[in-house]
């Protein structure tokens, strides 16, 4: 029996080494044949009072999911002018445990931008979550977009539902979250990193970045991996605005019908303002 256990332990160790080696031998890179929507790396120059972001995606999507217009813009973000930050959840069809999560930031002038950690894909490459859990097949990067771009992408291109939750943490902490996203985006320009479904995904990359601003801000939870439970977890932690229990909060956060209804508003800031005016309680 001891011999069998020893052989088993050696086999497990050998498999672990085989799976681990590619992560340290292969180097992540920004220099690949990226697909069009991932082709531009956001370039962030952060100062003491403001940050300039170049290559913010601001595309238009047709109702059939095709891209109607490709456009990229620049913006200057001033954390002191942030009015409200939001947690965005985009569930994937087929499992309540899996979703894409993002952050959205609304400023005094009505302009609102989304920061999304994504597996950066090359031309013709499809996302493969199981493979990305064991092999370094994707780099990750922060995608910065207008809300109109990201929400249109989810609604028309991906065909997914969207939930927009206002954060209830103090505005100073919300601004610290924004600064953390800007700092991480800036670092990635010179430090490409591998995406991993389990350890470096859309949710836990953001959680760790926030925890670097204040230790323990986002406690470890199963939702760091099972990302579809992230909104429920943050609600339990008191980080999302409470609108009468989680189910009622989730119902009020559902914006997919409004995205489709208001998408004819071409100006991104006007779109974001109109979206909040139509949401119950104006969140």
């Amino acid at each position: 029996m001891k011999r069998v256990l020893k052989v088993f332990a050696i086999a497990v160790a050998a498999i672990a080494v085989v799976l681990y080696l590619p992560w340290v031998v292969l180097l992540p890179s920004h220099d690949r044949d990226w697909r069009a929507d991932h082709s531009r790396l956001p370039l962030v120059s952060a100062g003491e009072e403001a940050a300039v972001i170049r290559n913010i995606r601001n595309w238009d999507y047709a109702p059939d999911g095709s891209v109607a217009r490709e456009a990229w813009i620049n913006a200057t973000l001033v954390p002191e002018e942030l009015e409200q930050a939001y947690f965005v959840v985009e569930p994937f069809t087929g499992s309540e445990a899996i979703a894409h999560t993002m952050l959205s930031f609304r400023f005094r002038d009505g302009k609102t931008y989304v920061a999304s950690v994504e597996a950066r894909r090359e031309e013709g490459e499809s996302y493969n979550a199981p493979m990305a859990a064991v092999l370094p097949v994707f780099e990750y990067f922060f995608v910065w977009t207008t809300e109109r771009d990201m929400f249109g992408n989810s609604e028309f291109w991906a065909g997914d539902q969207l939930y927009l939750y206002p954060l209830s943490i103090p505005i100073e902490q919300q601004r610290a979250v924004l600064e953390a996203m800007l700092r991480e985006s800036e670092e990635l320009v010179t430090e490409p990193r591998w995406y991993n479904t389990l350890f470096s995904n859309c949710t836990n990359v953001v959680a760790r970045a926030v925890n670097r601003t204040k230790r323990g801000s986002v406690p470890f939870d199963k939702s760091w991996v099972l990302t579809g439970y992230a909104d429920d977890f943050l609600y339990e932690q008191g980080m999302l605005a409470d609108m009468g229990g989680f189910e009622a909060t989730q119902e009020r956060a559902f914006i997919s019908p409004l995205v489709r209804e208001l998408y004819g508003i071409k100006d991104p800031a006007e779109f974001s303002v109109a979206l909040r005016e139509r949401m119950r309680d104006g969140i």
Side-chain angles (χ1 to χ4, degrees):
M1 186 63 171
K2 289 183 178 180
R3 180 184 177 87
V4 172
L5 291 174
K6 184 177 181 179
V7 171
F8 177 75
I10 293 173
V12 170
I15 293 172
V17 169
V18 169
L19 293 176
Y20 177 70
L21 275 178
W23 296 94
V24 295
V25 173
L26 301 177
L27 298 178
S29 173
H30 293 317
D31 186 18
R32 303 192 192 279
D33 183 19
W34 304 113
R35 73 184 203 184
D37 59 323
H38 287 182
S39 61
R40 298 197 186 187
L41 187 70
L43 302 177
V44 178
S45 300
E48 291 185 5
E49 298 182 355
V52 175
I53 305 182
R54 289 178 287 163
N55 296 333
I56 296 174
R57 204 179 68 205
N58 184 35
W59 288 18
D60 285 334
Y61 304 90
D64 64 1
S66 61
V67 178
R69 181 181 66 99
E70 297 183 12
W72 307 84
I73 62 175
N74 305 328
T76 299
L77 305 188
V78 181
E80 286 301 312
E81 295 181 1
L82 178 71
E83 284 194 336
Q84 179 65 53
Y86 300 82
F87 186 67
V88 186
V89 179
E90 179 183 353
F92 294 152
T93 303
S95 174
E96 65 176 10
I98 305 300
H100 182 57
T101 64
M102 301 169 271
L103 291 171
S104 185
F105 301 96
R106 189 189 82 222
F107 295 85
R108 291 173 190 165
D109 59 4
K111 294 180 180 178
T112 312
Y113 302 98
V114 176
S116 170
V117 175
E118 300 186 12
R120 197 176 186 188
R121 278 154 282 176
E122 298 175 55
E123 191 66 46
E125 191 174 39
S126 299
Y127 179 67
N128 187 312
M131 183 176 294
V134 296
L135 294 173
V137 290
F138 306 113
E139 287 84 358
Y140 76 78
F141 75 133
F142 277 81
V143 180
W144 285 86
T145 77
T146 60
E147 270 193 341
R148 187 177 182 277
D149 174 307
M150 186 62 76
F151 294 172
N153 181 293
S154 299
E155 178 66 23
F156 300 117
W157 190 352
D160 294 328
Q161 296 182 332
L162 280 171
Y163 296 83
L164 181 66
Y165 299 94
L167 295 181
S168 60
I169 59 178
I171 189 62
E172 293 79 10
Q173 293 182 26
Q174 295 183 39
R175 289 167 179 160
V177 171
L178 169 62
E179 290 171 349
M181 298 304 98
L182 292 168
R183 185 163 51 251
E184 288 286 312
S185 300
E186 186 175 25
E187 289 177 1
L188 276 174
V189 174
T190 55
E191 300 175 15
R193 300 167 189 170
W194 289 120
Y195 176 91
N196 184 285
T197 310
L198 302 178
F199 306 113
S200 297
N201 61 39
C202 61
T203 302
N204 57 44
V205 166
V206 171
R208 286 195 295 269
V210 172
N211 283 344
R212 281 192 281 274
T213 67
K214 183 180 179 181
R215 183 175 297 180
S217 295
V218 184
F220 179 77
D221 180 71
K222 67 179 181 181
S223 62
W224 284 37
V225 176
L226 302 177
T227 52
Y229 300 126
D231 51 355
D232 198 351
F233 169 67
L234 292 180
Y235 176 82
E236 291 177 355
Q237 295 294 311
M239 298 180 186
L240 303 183
D242 187 355
M243 301 174 205
F246 179 69
E247 290 186 4
T249 298
Q250 187 179 50
E251 181 181 349
R252 294 190 180 192
F254 183 53
I255 61 170
S256 292
L258 294 178
V259 171
R260 186 171 289 271
E261 177 184 334
L262 300 171
Y263 200 69
I265 301 174
K266 298 297 185 181
D267 182 83
E270 292 180 7
F271 169 83
S272 293
V273 170
L275 178 66
R276 283 156 180 81
E277 289 177 347
R278 290 296 308 279
M279 293 179 72
R280 281 189 281 179
D281 296 333
I283 62 173

